[in-house]
Amino acid sequence: QVRLVESGGGLVQAGGSLRLSCAASGDIVRINEMGWYRRAPGKQRELVATLTTGGNTNYAASVKGRFTVSRTNAKDAVYLQMNSLKPEDTAVYYCSVKLPVFPFGAWGQGTQVTVSS
């Protein structure tokens, strides 16, 4: 089992920056992917950015060039640096990891990001 705790959300003006952090604990050695998803009001949860243990990244087209995902070598934390924020980035952001064995993944509780225009 892996436990995830996010922090760093808040209210920011358009054009500003925020850095989200996610602390991972438990069976972190088995993690093979870490990343971030978000759910905007009235929408489904969507991928924001992921990073595999091999170093491969995947970004949503809407955040490419503005957001950067990174992690510690120990896989005990994953970060999301968000620059040039837009009102449409307003959402609850969830930290997520994938595992090769049951339960195959874990989710954090979410952190609210609100971007005002």
Side-chain angles (χ1 to χ4, degrees), residues 6 16 22-23 25 33 38 41 56 58-59 61 66 72 86 96:
E6 300 107 331
C22 175
S25 60
E33 184 177 288
R38 67 186 180 188
N56 295 317
N58 185 27
Y59 290 94
R66 300 188 297 123
T72 60
K86 304 175 181 180
S96 175

Side-chain angles (χ1 to χ4, degrees), residues 16-87:
S17 298
L18 278 177
R19 179 177 166 88
L20 303 182
S21 299
C22 175
S25 60
D27 196 11
I28 61 174
V29 174
R30 296 178 181 270
I31 293 173
N32 56 16
E33 184 177 288
M34 307 181 82
W36 295 88
Y37 291 72
R38 67 186 180 188
R39 177 156 50 203
K43 296 186 177 181
Q44 290 188 332
R45 186 155 53 188
E46 64 175 0
L47 179 147
V48 176
T50 59
L51 173 62
T52 69
T53 51
N56 295 317
T57 56
N58 185 27
Y59 290 94
S62 60
V63 307
K64 201 170 290 186
R66 300 188 297 123
F67 291 11
T68 302
V69 61
S70 62
R71 62 170 177 84
T72 60
N73 287 334
K75 295 183 287 185
D76 56 0
V78 61
Y79 308 98
L80 186 67
Q81 178 66 43
M82 305 185 292
N83 299 328
S84 302
L85 282 160
K86 304 175 181 180

Side-chain angles (χ1 to χ4, degrees), residues 6 20 37-41 45-46 48 89-94 109-114:
E6 300 107 331
L20 303 182
Y37 291 72
R38 67 186 180 188
R39 177 156 50 203
R45 186 155 53 188
E46 64 175 0
V48 176
D89 293 318
T90 294
V92 177
Y93 284 71
Y94 298 90
Q109 81 285 355
T111 185
Q112 177 71 47
V113 172
T114 303

